[in-house]
């Protein structure tokens, strides 16, 4: 396919007047990025083995701490998750989930607070499907780290996120909060 | 609430969906040798059952359908013309 070269004048400017590109350009860029990230993840796993998960987790956690700084600190887990959901936006759209036999979303278990999160829209899942990689691999640890980092930052506690189940349309994860870990 | 429909004529009774579902939404109907929905209210619409079903015998209604930006629109438009 032939591509048309765009020629124009470039001036120093504080705010670019023109971003350029239509939806096809953005789509192409998105797909190249997906392939690039997928390829990086698979190479990382090849070189570092299970250490790849830890590296990606750490990267996600750092991002989560940064994002958490934008949210007001609170001890209310439900409020924290609500605000984080807004920051994560529609690309990581999640909701609290509970089985029909359970009364509350948030439960207490041996001094730990447990809540199940259902991630419906996820860019990581889309990237894995674009590149043909399996779920639950290193890239999934990015979101794992992100959530843990963000919750730690907002609530000033220690948390962990376990992957319960992955599917093509949604993934169920369990967020566990250790209050003693302040 | 999620509504699940099983096409009994298509279902081959392999039980893959019963094994794969983390919330035990399905059970095998031993008499008919087909899958049946027993706990629709516990379905979280992960759609693992869709992916594993060899007969594509199920349909989920009233669920959040995740974005599928990974599908190349140009390729899709070509496929739409062919299929």
């Amino acid at each position: 396919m032939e591509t048309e070269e765009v020629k124009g004048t470039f001036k120093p400017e504080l705010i670019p007047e023109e971003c350029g590109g239509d939806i096809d350009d953005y789509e192409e860029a998105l797909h190249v990025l997906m392939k690039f990230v997928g390829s990086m993840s698979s190479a990382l796993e090849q070189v570092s083995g299970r250490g790849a998960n830890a590296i990606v987790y750490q990267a996600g956690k750092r991002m989560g701490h940064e994002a958490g700084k934008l949210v007001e600190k609170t001890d209310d887990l439900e409020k924290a998750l609500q605000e984080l959901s807004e920051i994560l936006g529609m690309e990581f759209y999640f909701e609290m989930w509970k089985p029909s036999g359970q009364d509350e979303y948030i439960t207490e278990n041996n001094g730990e607070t447990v809540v199940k999160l259902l991630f419906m829209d996820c860019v990581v899942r889309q990237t894995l499907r674009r590149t043909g990689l399996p779920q639950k691999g290193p890239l999934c640890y990015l979101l794992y780290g992100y959530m843990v980092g963000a919750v730690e930052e907002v609530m000033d506690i220690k948390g962990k996120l376990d992957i319960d189940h992955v599917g093509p349309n949604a993934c169920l994860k369990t967020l566990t909060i250790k209050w003693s870990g302040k | 609430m999620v509504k699940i429909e099983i096409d009994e004529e298509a279902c081959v009774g392999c039980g893959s969906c019963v094994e794969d579902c983390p919330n035990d939404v399905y059970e095998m109907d031993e008499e008919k040798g087909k899958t049946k929905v027993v706990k629709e209210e516990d379905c979280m619409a992960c759609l693992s059952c869709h992916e594993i079903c060899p007969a594509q015998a199920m349909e989920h209604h009233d669920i959040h359908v995740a974005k599928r930006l990974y599908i190349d629109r140009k390729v899709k438009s070509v496929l739409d013309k062919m299929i």
Side-chain angles (χ1 to χ4, degrees):
Chain A
M1 197 180 76
E2 261 185 56
T3 51
E4 197 184 322
E5 187 187 6
V6 179
K7 295 217 173 191
T9 310
F10 186 84
K11 294 185 217 168
E13 52 196 352
L14 280 176
I15 303 166
E17 283 175 18
E18 165 69 49
C19 296
D22 58 20
I23 184 76
D24 290 329
D25 295 325
Y26 283 97
E27 188 194 22
E28 210 168 303
L30 173 70
H31 281 243
V32 168
L33 272 173
M34 280 182 173
K35 283 194 268 185
F36 181 58
V37 172
S39 166
M40 247 179 26
S41 163
S42 125
L44 196 62
E45 200 173 12
Q46 197 180 354
V47 174
S48 315
R50 290 189 67 184
N53 296 351
I55 295 167
V56 179
Y57 171 77
Q58 199 55 38
K61 200 168 167 183
R62 199 175 291 178
M63 285 166 65
H65 273 285
E66 287 303 315
K69 284 176 186 158
L70 303 171
V71 179
E72 200 182 328
K73 286 195 188 297
T74 176
D75 280 339
D76 184 342
L77 180 59
E78 208 162 327
K79 189 180 168 211
L81 289 173
Q82 179 67 39
E83 296 214 15
L84 284 174
S85 163
E86 279 166 29
I87 282 193
L88 281 165
M90 293 309 286
E91 297 314 324
F92 291 109
Y93 177 55
F94 73 90
E95 281 179 359
M96 288 188 284
W97 187 86
K98 66 177 178 64
S100 58
Q102 191 178 304
D103 294 330
E104 304 289 337
Y105 286 106
I106 299 170
T107 56
E108 302 292 330
N109 189 12
N110 292 332
E112 292 177 341
T113 302
V114 179
V115 59
K116 289 194 182 290
L117 303 175
L118 186 64
F119 285 84
M120 290 173 271
D121 284 305
C122 175
V123 174
V124 167
R125 193 189 312 130
Q126 300 207 33
T127 302
L128 295 173
R129 293 185 84 77
R130 178 67 181 84
T131 47
L133 291 168
Q135 287 173 271
K136 274 193 188 177
L139 268 193
C140 285
Y141 279 75
L142 187 79
L143 197 58
Y144 177 166
Y146 194 101
M147 279 307 292
V148 169
V151 170
E152 281 184 3
E153 186 67 36
V154 176
M155 301 186 70
D156 205 15
I157 39 92
K158 289 278 172 213
K160 67 175 179 135
L161 191 75
D162 294 308
I163 302 170
D164 292 351
H165 182 78
V166 293
N169 198 59
C171 301
L172 187 67
K173 301 180 185 198
T174 299
L175 178 67
T176 308
I177 305 288
K178 288 181 185 172
W179 297 100
S180 54
K182 264 188 185 180
Chain B
M1 202 186 91
V2 180
K3 285 291 295 172
I4 308 169
E5 267 180 55
I6 306 277
D7 181 345
E8 286 195 2
E9 281 184 28
C11 176
V12 293
C14 65
S16 302
C17 53
V18 180
E19 272 180 43
D20 198 47
C21 179
N23 298 327
D24 302 324
V25 169
Y26 306 102
E27 251 179 32
M28 276 304 285
D29 185 331
E30 299 299 341
E31 258 179 48
K32 290 182 183 171
K34 309 274 180 188
T35 293
K36 64 175 177 183
V37 182
V38 289
K39 277 208 296 189
E40 211 165 35
E41 63 278 14
D42 276 356
C43 176
M44 56 186 184
C46 68
L47 302 190
S48 292
C49 49
H50 274 249
E51 199 151 73
I52 208 161
C53 179
Q56 299 186 341
M58 51 193 63
E59 262 184 33
H60 281 62
H61 303 278
D62 202 18
I63 63 163
H64 173 97
V65 180
K67 284 179 203 166
R68 289 184 278 187
L69 302 177
Y70 59 88
I71 296 170
D72 193 309
R73 290 184 309 141
K74 280 179 204 147
V75 174
K76 189 186 174 301
S77 70
V78 172
L79 288 173
D80 282 343
K81 282 175 199 159
M82 288 164 64
I83 301 168

